[in-house]
Amino acid sequence: MIKYNLRKYLSIFVLSLFLCPCAKKTHTITILYDRPPRTLDPHRRNEIVTISILSNIYQGLIEYTPDLRLVPCLARNWYLSDSLTWVFDLREGVHFHNGEEFRGRDAVYSLYRTIRNNTTENATLKRIVDTIYAAGPHRLIIKTRSPYHALLNEIDRLYIVPEGYENFSSPIGTGPFKATFISDDSIVCVLFQYYWGPKPPISRGVFKFIPEFKDRLALFRNCKNCVLYGVPISVYTQMKDSIKMIAISGVAARYLQMDIRKYPFNQREFRNALSLAIDRAKLNKELYQGLAQPANQFIPRGMVGYCPDLPPLSYNPDSAVQLIKKFGNPEIHLYYGKAIQELGTHIASFFRAVGVRIVEHPLEAKAFWEGVEKRRFDCYLISALVTTLDGLSTILEAFFYTYDPQKGTGLMNRSGFSNRQIDSLINCASQIADPEERLNIINHIQKTLLVEMPIIPILWEPRIYGLSPDIDFVPRIDQTIRLAEIKFKK
């Protein structure tokens, strides 16, 4: 296990200042995270730090603006030639970081590599896509098995790599920045001189990974041009007048994930009792200083599928006590990352108050994510990132469709929830072009899920960033930090 200490980081940081100084004239930005990316393979994981870093190196056919509007990227335009056939006209004159020119065959390889890999979190198109092929060097055709109007929402993060490329220890993309140094605690990227798009104001980005917040904060204070990701609420309230900070609300949905194939989580009454035991308003007030939003459904406000008519989820500990007694006051194990230990402790206290015997397991990020990926935990706290405005594909399809890696369905469904009626409704909604009709189906799905409660929604969390004084930075709703979007004050 790697041991971290501040002296190590300061010495490495001094070296990085020598190699790539954080001085204004060099246009270098340092981004501080609590953990490294889970992989450098752009087709495997949707975890925020991973996507945030890789989104500077790789690009997809389309892109989202900071407020989640779809815009062209490696595809300069697209259209439906019939109900099943999507045509993408690709940009010419685009080069990968290894000098190779981007062609349609690279897109074909990249998309097929993603949807055919059963270990990826991005393979949902497997059940949707029938054929992908290049109609010439700069045209791509995607044929779907049935009409699928959410296709564009599914492909923005299907990043393009050179045909046949597999050496992801040295990532090669078409993005504005090229990785030049990679270690356990740092990744350094420099501006790609042959980048096809507008030249960013930043010439170098240094991503540093420091588990302890106090060490990240100390390094932040010593860095001239720095962005500190994930400032705790307690630090925000104590230091908002002495450190430049910016917050964006509702960017991540915090859930209690359970394995509902196992007792007592396989009992709907027990799951609803846990929900009744959670005082969401108290959590928001005491832990988030009112910056969060108590969740009353699975799709956050602002996304397509949000139901404005739903009431708040009830807090009723007396009813929870009566329901828990039916199950003999069972013992459960609650897992969470140490970064959210205060939240985990509060949730555990709510459950103890209604008669649940609970054992807490705060874990380091690496151990937590390994347990999540290998499905070792029966009950744990996890968040879902807002990546598109479409709640159908981002939330409902990913978390509640029956899990089948061979078909590429329910790839984030770790609860074991399976309801063929829900599957059918999701399929139906994805094929409907009329927004109002589609929304009605999504609302019906949500209301059904709130009865079943296979996952318990808790809060829609804010994200807080610390900024050096000379930096202009507007956080993205999807939480990715794009170096090209950071500016220096004049």
Side-chain angles (χ1 to χ4, degrees):
M1 179 180 293
I2 299 174
K3 294 185 177 181
Y4 301 90
N5 57 69
L6 183 57
R7 179 177 295 178
K8 170 186 174 183
Y9 282 110
L10 287 174
S11 63
I12 292 174
F13 185 63
V14 170
L15 177 61
S16 73
L17 288 175
F18 176 75
L19 295 174
C20 45
C22 278
K24 189 172 182 179
K25 64 181 181 180
T26 62
H27 291 176
T28 294
I29 289 288
T30 299
I31 313 296
L32 300 179
Y33 283 114
D34 64 337
R35 60 191 183 277
R38 289 163 64 193
T39 179
L40 295 179
D41 184 335
H43 300 147
R44 290 178 61 84
R45 298 290 177 251
N46 278 327
E47 184 265 336
I48 178 57
V49 176
T50 301
I51 291 297
S52 186
I53 293 171
L54 297 188
S55 64
N56 292 280
I57 300 169
Y58 299 103
Q59 293 177 309
L61 298 176
I62 59 175
E63 174 64 289
Y64 277 96
T65 62
D67 58 354
L68 297 182
R69 289 184 297 106
L70 278 173
V71 294
C73 191
L74 295 182
R76 53 188 174 84
N77 57 59
W78 56 85
Y79 58 92
L80 271 169
S81 63
D82 59 53
S83 63
L84 304 179
T85 307
W86 292 79
V87 181
F88 296 85
D89 291 322
L90 308 179
R91 292 189 188 276
E92 301 180 29
V94 175
H95 290 84
F96 290 102
H97 299 157
N98 62 2
E100 295 180 13
E101 186 175 356
F102 164 60
R103 302 279 183 169
R105 60 177 180 263
D106 303 307
V108 174
Y109 169 76
S110 301
L111 297 185
Y112 268 134
R113 182 180 186 271
T114 303
I115 66 178
R116 287 173 173 170
N117 185 347
N118 290 335
T119 65
T120 181
E121 293 173 354
N122 292 314
T124 55
L125 290 181
K126 182 179 295 185
R127 69 181 182 87
I128 298 159
V129 171
D130 179 70
T131 310
I132 306 171
Y133 63 92
H138 299 108
R139 175 163 288 188
L140 180 75
I141 309 296
I142 299 179
K143 285 185 170 290
T144 58
R145 302 180 190 276
S146 60
Y148 190 76
H149 293 276
L151 180 74
L152 297 178
N153 294 327
E154 301 278 4
I155 65 173
D156 71 300
R157 288 185 176 172
L158 299 188
Y159 291 135
I160 307 303
V161 300
E163 182 183 24
Y165 197 77
E166 291 286 346
N167 181 23
F168 295 104
S169 61
S170 179
I172 298 294
T174 62
F177 292 89
K178 176 181 179 178
T180 57
F181 175 80
I182 298 172
S183 69
D184 289 344
D185 50 47
S186 300
I187 294 177
V188 177
C189 296
V190 299
L191 182 63
F192 180 44
Q193 62 178 328
Y194 301 112
Y195 178 56
W196 61 269
K199 184 179 179 180
I202 306 301
S203 60
R204 181 183 287 110
V206 180
F207 297 94
K208 298 195 69 63
F209 317 118
I210 306 174
E212 296 296 331
F213 180 77
K214 62 181 178 62
D215 294 338
R216 294 199 301 281
L217 182 60
L219 194 53
F220 172 78
R221 290 180 179 277
N222 283 278
C223 181
K224 182 173 178 58
N225 296 315
C226 198
V227 177
L228 175 60
Y229 173 83
V231 176
I233 296 287
S234 58
V235 174
Y236 173 78
T237 55
Q238 294 170 10
M239 308 181 72
K240 62 183 178 181
D241 294 328
S242 59
I243 292 179
K244 180 181 176 181
M245 285 185 274
I246 187 169
I248 183 170
S249 63
V251 296
R254 179 66 60 180
Y255 301 110
L256 180 71
Q257 179 86 65
M258 302 160 287
D259 187 340
I260 67 171
R261 294 162 295 190
K262 297 181 180 179
Y263 185 85
F265 305 109
N266 62 348
Q267 302 298 309
R268 186 173 69 185
E269 276 191 319
F270 183 79
R271 301 194 299 269
N272 277 278
L274 294 183
S275 180
L276 289 168
I278 300 172
D279 189 342
R280 294 166 175 83
K282 182 178 180 180
L283 289 176
N284 184 31
K285 180 180 179 180
E286 295 187 356
L287 295 188
Y288 295 89
Q289 303 300 308
L291 295 175
Q293 301 170 21
N296 66 340
Q297 56 194 285
F298 301 99
I299 298 176
R301 183 180 288 111
M303 296 182 70
V304 175
Y306 172 77
C307 302
D309 60 330
L310 287 175
L313 290 177
S314 296
Y315 168 58
N316 192 329
D318 293 335
S319 294
V321 167
Q322 297 306 312
L323 289 171
I324 293 298
K325 285 180 179 178
K326 295 182 179 181
F327 300 95
N329 303 98
E331 179 180 275
I332 66 174
H333 292 252
L334 175 64
Y335 296 82
Y336 49 81
K338 283 188 175 180
I340 59 164
Q341 185 161 1
E342 193 172 9
L343 174 63
T345 300
H346 272 70
I347 296 292
S349 70
F350 292 149
F351 293 162
R352 290 192 184 99
V354 298
V356 177
R357 293 179 294 120
I358 189 164
V359 180
E360 295 178 62
H361 299 272
L363 301 175
E364 297 293 349
K366 182 178 180 180
F368 176 78
W369 284 110
E370 284 181 354
V372 169
E373 288 180 11
K374 295 180 180 180
R375 301 174 184 260
R376 293 173 179 164
F377 307 147
D378 296 343
C379 181
Y380 56 97
L381 292 170
I382 197 167
S383 64
L385 177 66
V386 174
T387 57
T388 78
L389 290 179
D390 186 5
L392 179 69
S393 59
T394 300
I395 304 293
L396 300 185
E397 187 173 348
F399 284 85
F400 300 108
Y401 204 104
T402 299
Y403 174 66
D404 187 336
Q406 298 301 319
K407 295 180 179 179
T409 62
L411 296 178
M412 302 295 289
N413 181 350
R414 298 186 176 98
S415 68
F417 178 74
S418 180
N419 183 310
R420 297 302 177 184
Q421 181 184 17
I422 294 294
D423 293 351
S424 179
L425 288 170
I426 291 173
N427 289 338
C428 180
S430 69
Q431 296 178 28
I432 292 175
D434 180 74
E436 186 173 349
E437 185 180 355
R438 189 167 180 259
L439 182 59
N440 288 336
I441 297 175
I442 293 174
N443 287 350
H444 177 66
I445 294 171
Q446 280 232 84
K447 291 174 180 177
T448 302
L449 290 173
L450 286 169
V451 174
E452 293 293 328
M453 204 65 83
I455 296 173
I456 298 176
I458 302 174
L459 291 158
W460 297 320
E461 297 178 322
R463 190 64 68 221
I464 303 172
Y465 303 78
L467 305 176
S468 297
D470 291 336
I471 287 179
D472 276 334
F473 171 67
V474 178
R476 295 173 62 95
I477 295 175
D478 64 8
Q479 295 188 66
T480 60
I481 297 178
R482 310 292 177 91
L483 297 172
E485 296 173 356
I486 300 174
K487 297 180 175 64
F488 294 104
K489 288 186 175 180
K490 296 181 180 179

